[in-house]
Amino acid sequence: MTMAKLLNLKTWYQLFVNNFLAMVAVAFVAAALRRAWPVSIDDLAGSLRAVPPVRILTAVILTAGVAQLRRLHRPRDVYLVEYGCFRPKPCFRAPFATCLEHAHYLPYQVDPESVSFSIRLLERSGIGEETCLPNSYHYMPPDRSLEAAREETQDVIFSAVDEVFARTSVRPEEIDVLIVNCSIFTPTPVFVDMVVNRYKLRPDVQSLNLSGMGCGAGLVNIGLARHLLQVAPPGTHVLTVSTEILSSQYYIGSERAMLLPNCLFRMGAAATILSNLPERARFRLGRIVRRMTAARDADYHCIFQEEDGKGVLGVRLSKDLTTTAGQALKRNIMAFGPLVLPVSEQLLVALSLLKRKLLSCWGAKVRLYRPDFHTAFEHFCIHAGGRGVIDEVQRGLGLSDEDVEASRMTLHRFGNTSSSSVLYELAYIEAKGCMRKGDRVWMISFGSGFNCSSVAWECLKAAIDSDGPWADCIHRYPVQLPEVALQDI
């Protein structure tokens, strides 16, 4: 049987299974009407007149009461009104030549072998020549002071928040809840206080500051905002900000596992405004699933802040990071898949599991069916944590190069911007004009701990323009990347 015939057969199978209940209901109604036919208008009127008015009134009141109870107990829908991303200025650009020059001027901090490793990693990481680093990294030696970190914080956070307010009619005084996340750097006053002070938010604004959750904290923000909005009064607005401040994190030692963050992470931030009313909204929030694997010691230590053998503080990334991410994603899919996949795909998975269980008695190995997530989503935003992470997710989900284009191009243009990366990817899809009303988006993020989060969105209104972080470069993308994996380094 040819591939075209197999695809056609699967299409008919999905159409039948996914609409089976609707077809049964239509057949039942048709059979009932056929049996009762013919029925005249006079007969119907006579039957209604025979029913006591008290019973009719009682039925109406009960129906209205049940409908009201159902509406009150059903969780409110949550909507993404708008989002904005920090767009770095050209003065922040850190091409490979600059990185190499700076490394050679710091021989007392980094040995030649470490310099060679870092440059080799940069060239094969999927990161491009236009990624940006904060001002503090452009000094020799890098400025790791508190003042430099505060300066970077104001640059990235305020720019992202300015962008989101400029793109929507929501005003700062309408914000009821503020959530900001940054993993490692946490000053006093904290980030939420900086935002409240800058935008003069109301005195009764509820503020939350999240730290230590790594690159997955952006979707944790969204999940927390959803829980708050589902119980808040209608018209409540939540402002979330996701970032990672690099200035105070620069590692000046020589251990390779701790040099990786210096090479992969770049400055970035994203802000969102969410609400529990559909007015002015652009996306509807769907299912959210978060799974943690911190009970396993290897996963817990996969991304770990500690001192090296010489007492230099840094973040150690395990060589098993991509494998750990793949295992975490698998656990996440086991919970997320049944919530979003159509019945046709769930049935194929169930049959595959049954086949494996039956044949395992005879020692036969049966490969489980991998569900087709294209039946549930049109777009995929995979955290741009590195080339190896994107490769692992692509293989695990059976995605095409086109499906992961937004992730690879975000890594190339902006680097690993930590928890804000998935919104840069969403901006790429919209800048390319690929987003349509009704399209569904799957965001996947990974964070220290180890944890994996999945968030589903449905587009209600596509962007009217491509103005955003990609405005000055989208015409040059996608670009061809060298065929080299991180494991080859």
Side-chain angles (χ1 to χ4, degrees):
M1 188 177 291
T2 64
M3 183 60 68
K5 290 183 177 180
L6 283 174
L7 291 174
N8 191 41
L9 181 62
K10 187 172 182 179
T11 300
W12 281 105
Y13 160 76
Q14 292 172 347
L15 187 65
F16 174 77
V17 174
N18 293 338
N19 298 283
F20 178 74
L21 291 178
M23 291 188 291
V24 170
V26 170
F28 178 79
V29 172
L33 289 175
R34 182 177 180 183
R35 185 171 183 179
W37 192 266
V39 178
S40 66
I41 300 298
D42 293 336
D43 291 338
L44 289 174
S47 300
L48 288 174
R49 282 194 295 268
V51 178
V54 174
R55 292 186 180 181
I56 296 176
L57 181 62
T58 302
V60 171
I61 293 174
L62 285 174
T63 302
V66 169
Q68 181 69 6
L69 284 173
R70 183 177 181 275
R71 188 181 68 83
L72 290 175
H73 286 83
R74 187 184 68 182
R76 296 184 193 276
D77 284 335
V78 175
Y79 303 89
L80 174 64
V81 178
E82 193 52 89
Y83 67 97
C85 300
F86 165 73
R87 189 197 307 176
K89 299 175 182 177
C91 61
F92 293 121
R93 196 168 69 91
F96 296 165
T98 300
C99 297
L100 178 61
E101 181 185 26
H102 279 226
H104 281 305
Y105 273 104
L106 303 172
Y108 59 94
Q109 291 181 326
V110 184
D111 61 84
E113 187 178 345
S114 298
V115 173
S116 176
F117 169 78
S118 298
I119 295 301
R120 198 163 65 250
L121 174 62
L122 278 173
E123 292 172 346
R124 304 180 185 187
S125 64
I127 291 178
E129 296 273 4
E130 293 185 272
T131 59
C132 295
L133 289 168
N135 273 330
S136 59
Y137 275 43
H138 294 268
Y139 288 97
M140 292 183 289
D143 185 358
R144 304 171 68 208
S145 67
L146 177 62
E147 182 181 355
R150 284 188 189 277
E151 180 184 344
E152 181 192 350
T153 299
Q154 294 172 358
D155 281 341
V156 297
I157 289 183
F158 294 165
S159 295
V161 176
D162 286 345
E163 177 74 8
V164 76
F165 279 131
R167 295 172 64 87
T168 182
S169 57
V170 177
R171 302 183 304 277
E173 55 266 27
E174 296 181 70
I175 299 300
D176 303 285
V177 181
L178 171 63
I179 309 174
V180 182
N181 73 265
C182 181
S183 186
I184 295 180
F185 177 63
T186 306
T188 301
V190 292
F191 300 112
V192 289
D193 299 324
M194 294 182 188
V195 176
V196 170
N197 177 262
R198 169 65 178 257
Y199 297 95
K200 310 304 177 187
L201 302 186
R202 301 197 317 262
D204 63 341
V205 67
Q206 304 298 307
S207 61
L208 297 147
N209 202 86
L210 306 181
S211 63
M213 295 184 179
C215 303
L219 297 189
V220 176
N221 260 6
I222 300 298
L224 178 57
R226 181 191 66 167
H227 288 307
L228 294 172
L229 286 169
Q230 285 179 337
V231 297
T236 300
H237 290 91
V238 176
L239 171 63
T240 76
V241 183
S242 297
T243 189
E244 192 62 62
I245 304 305
L246 307 178
S247 295
S248 61
Q249 299 179 35
Y250 192 88
Y251 175 65
I252 56 175
S254 58
E255 290 198 23
R256 292 189 176 186
M258 302 178 79
L259 284 169
L260 287 171
N262 287 358
C263 301
L264 295 175
F265 283 89
R266 295 294 185 267
M267 64 190 307
T272 69
I273 295 177
L274 298 105
S275 177
N276 50 13
L277 285 182
E279 287 77 16
R280 301 185 287 189
R282 294 192 50 230
F283 290 86
R284 179 189 291 112
L285 181 59
R287 300 287 189 172
I288 297 180
V289 170
R290 181 173 178 240
R291 286 294 180 268
M292 296 191 65
T293 61
R296 296 183 71 250
D297 290 343
D299 293 7
Y300 174 72
H301 290 95
C302 190
I303 303 173
F304 209 77
Q305 185 182 25
E306 61 182 352
E307 295 177 342
D308 65 12
K310 298 179 180 179
V312 181
L313 185 65
V315 177
R316 185 184 301 276
L317 301 184
S318 168
K319 63 180 180 180
D320 299 321
L321 176 59
T322 56
T323 303
T324 302
Q327 293 298 322
L329 177 63
K330 188 180 296 184
R331 293 191 178 192
N332 187 280
I333 289 175
M334 290 174 65
F336 187 68
L339 301 177
V340 297
L341 287 171
V343 178
S344 59
E345 288 298 304
Q346 295 188 50
L347 181 59
L348 289 175
V349 174
L351 292 175
S352 176
L353 288 169
L354 180 61
K355 182 180 178 181
R356 172 188 254 188
K357 189 170 184 179
L358 291 175
L359 295 182
S360 63
C361 300
W362 288 274
K365 292 185 178 180
V366 178
R367 187 175 181 180
L368 287 177
Y369 172 75
R370 182 171 59 193
D372 182 7
F373 281 95
H374 294 93
T375 59
F377 300 101
E378 285 75 33
H379 307 286
F380 302 85
C381 296
I382 304 162
H383 166 56
R387 190 169 189 170
V389 173
I390 299 173
D391 288 344
E392 185 72 20
V393 176
Q394 182 180 9
R395 282 194 297 267
L397 298 181
L399 302 179
S400 66
D401 289 339
E402 189 177 72
D403 293 327
V404 298
E405 180 183 307
S407 301
R408 294 198 189 281
M409 296 307 107
T410 296
L411 180 64
H412 182 271
R413 173 61 183 87
F414 296 101
N416 181 353
T417 60
S418 190
S419 55
S420 62
S421 67
V422 288
L423 287 169
Y424 281 90
E425 294 165 25
L426 181 61
Y428 177 88
I429 295 170
E430 294 207 286
K432 278 293 182 183
C434 299
M435 189 68 70
R436 301 286 186 272
K437 181 179 180 181
D439 281 2
R440 298 155 298 177
V441 184
W442 182 6
M443 289 184 175
I444 304 172
S445 71
F446 302 95
S448 55
F450 196 85
N451 70 81
C452 175
S453 298
S454 290
V455 171
W457 299 95
E458 179 188 354
C459 179
L460 302 179
K461 182 170 61 176
I464 57 176
D465 56 51
S466 59
D467 188 24
W470 296 90
D472 59 350
C473 61
I474 191 62
H475 61 283
R476 293 188 272 111
Y477 282 87
V479 298
Q480 185 65 38
L481 301 175
E483 296 292 332
V484 180
L486 281 175
Q487 291 86 338
D488 297 332
I489 298 175

